[in-house]
Amino acid sequence: MTQTLAGYNFAYLDEQTKRMIRRAILKAVAIPGYQVPFGSREMPLPYGWGTGGIQVTASIIGRADVLKVIDQGADDTTNAISIRRFFARTAGVATTERTVEATIIQTRHRIPETPLRAGQIMVYQVPIPEPLRWLEPRETETRTMHALSEYGAMHVRFYEDIAHHGRITTTYDYPVIVNDRYLMRPSPIPKFDNQKLDMSPALQLFGAGREKRIYAVPPFTKVKSLDFHDHPFSVESWDAACSLCGSTTSYLDEVLTDDQGGRMFVCSDTDYCRSRTS
Amino acid sequence: MRPTQAIEAGFIDPVDDANAVFRQVLDALAHPGRIVEIARPTRVPRGSLGRAAIGVAMALADFETPVWLDEAAAPAASHLRFHCNCPIVSKPDQATFLLAAEPASVPALATLPLGSDTYPDQGATLVIEVQALDPDGSLSLEGPGIDGRARLGVAGLPAGFWEARRALAALFPRGIDLLLTRGDLLVAVPRTSTVRGS
């Protein structure tokens, strides 16, 4: 499995593609939250399997990197395993399931519970990068709205949520304002994770393959979840603790254990949970 | 017979060297004011650009990115054209990357490509070879990527340079991203950094 494939460039992508993506990444870091268009390539995985994240990872990864890939917090799900194996085969890099050992963490829809450190790079797989897309389908219009910082439509949507349901009903992919300027989709992470985006010491890169956009949140950058003074942002909480490690502070998955209504709550972050039990 | 303008070797390992340079530039841009060292390529062409500046061009420029060189950097043109395949342009407002070996020759910042409000990523990257970089100088930087405040000293920039850059702040998200180099050293000052002092 650690045998690298012959006939491919290091990390699969050709050098010209990497250069183009690297330039997009650098501009994304220079303009936090702004979506930089890039020439997304066909990858040996279908769109929706993290091709944006994979292209970002392929463009930044070097031989000395240690890669971790998670899918909904777990290292051992199909998507995570196949992406980790992809880079083990095409780049021959070391992989890990430990958050603390990783230099690059590619993720689908979670941020690890273990606090990130300076020098680590998070790579998020993004299905829909445009936060205003369901409010305004035209790219020309949403682009202008970003240029003018015109985000009233999103506030109206939240207001209508509160008028209808008494609360903001968005629970994942909860929109944020980056560096007091750009409205950004944090990818479909639970809103529980939004607080980890703010002032993180790690560099955070977002890749959307099908939609051909790259954006970034540099370290120590203000990331504020959208809310109202009288309806402040709040995150999920549970009455239960993790059945395996007893954590009361991590994001919990509800697992049905039989057809009699039996259920248990366990940490979504498998590495965090394991590190507390072993 | 030797050609009159021999071209120096490029990256020894095009894959690993380009990646190493890019990661250093990414680290610098993600931490404005942090001085990083770029140790590749091993050889640089004639002219006054140091290894960091040449490395940036070799790692990031290609046929899609017009490059502008000031007069002191011009001897590197054939080197870059050969290794990067990049068009060398004479008008600074047409360039994606601008490389200046003589800080005084940098055109007025407001005349450079700043991108548009809808496509601010089209703002240029300006690389200037300065006389010295000092991690503990008189400039104070704040903004994304900086935990609190960073200090930086830059010697050799013309008077009024930082004032001209400050004037661009009102145009954000339009702007210029600065890479200041000195030999093997590089420091990034992206458009989001607020720079005080001079």
Side-chain angles (χ1 to χ4, degrees), chain A residues 9-10 15-16 19 22-23 26-27 30-32 34 36-37 60-63 65 143 147 179 181-182 219-221, chain B residues 15-16 19 22-23 29-31 59-60 62 64-65 117-121 123-125 144-145 147 173 177 191-192:
Chain A
N9 188 27
F10 175 79
E15 288 301 304
Q16 201 277 319
R19 220 163 21 238
R22 285 166 181 166
R23 289 194 298 260
L26 293 177
K27 285 303 172 192
I31 315 166
Y34 166 75
V36 183
I60 62 175
I61 203 163
R63 290 185 206 277
D65 279 309
R143 196 159 273 283
N179 194 31
R181 177 57 179 80
Y182 278 102
F220 305 109
T221 299
Chain B
V15 173
D16 289 348
N19 181 260
F22 162 71
R23 284 291 287 273
L29 210 55
H31 303 90
L60 297 171
D62 59 26
E64 293 181 321
T65 60
D117 286 319
T118 42
Y119 289 95
D121 54 303
T125 304
D147 187 9
D177 302 307
R191 65 191 82 179
T192 48

Side-chain angles (χ1 to χ4, degrees), chain B residues 59-176:
Chain B
L60 297 171
D62 59 26
F63 67 94
E64 293 181 321
T65 60
V67 172
W68 176 86
L69 301 167
D70 73 347
E71 219 175 287
S78 57
H79 182 84
L80 296 181
R81 211 183 272 116
F82 178 81
H83 287 294
C84 309
N85 252 324
C86 56
I88 305 288
V89 294
S90 57
K91 293 186 177 146
D93 61 351
Q94 297 174 343
T96 303
F97 291 98
L98 298 106
L99 281 73
E102 169 49 54
S105 68
V106 174
L109 295 183
T111 66
L112 300 180
L114 303 174
S116 61
D117 286 319
T118 42
Y119 289 95
D121 54 303
Q122 292 171 357
T125 304
L126 172 57
V127 185
I128 309 176
E129 186 82 23
V130 296
Q131 284 166 14
L133 293 172
D134 171 11
D136 198 32
S138 61
L139 295 171
S140 148
L141 279 67
E142 282 178 68
I146 303 168
D147 187 9
R149 194 172 294 175
R151 292 171 68 84
L152 176 68
V154 181
L157 287 173
F161 179 85
W162 293 110
E163 282 73 23
R165 186 186 170 280
R166 272 191 277 277
L168 298 181
L171 302 175
F172 186 85
R174 300 171 67 210
I176 302 271

Side-chain angles (χ1 to χ4, degrees), chain A residues 201-222:
Chain A
L203 170 63
Q204 306 179 80
L205 305 175
F206 299 77
R210 180 185 51 213
E211 303 289 325
K212 302 174 172 55
R213 296 289 185 276
I214 287 171
Y215 51 103
V217 175
F220 305 109
T221 299
K222 191 173 157 195

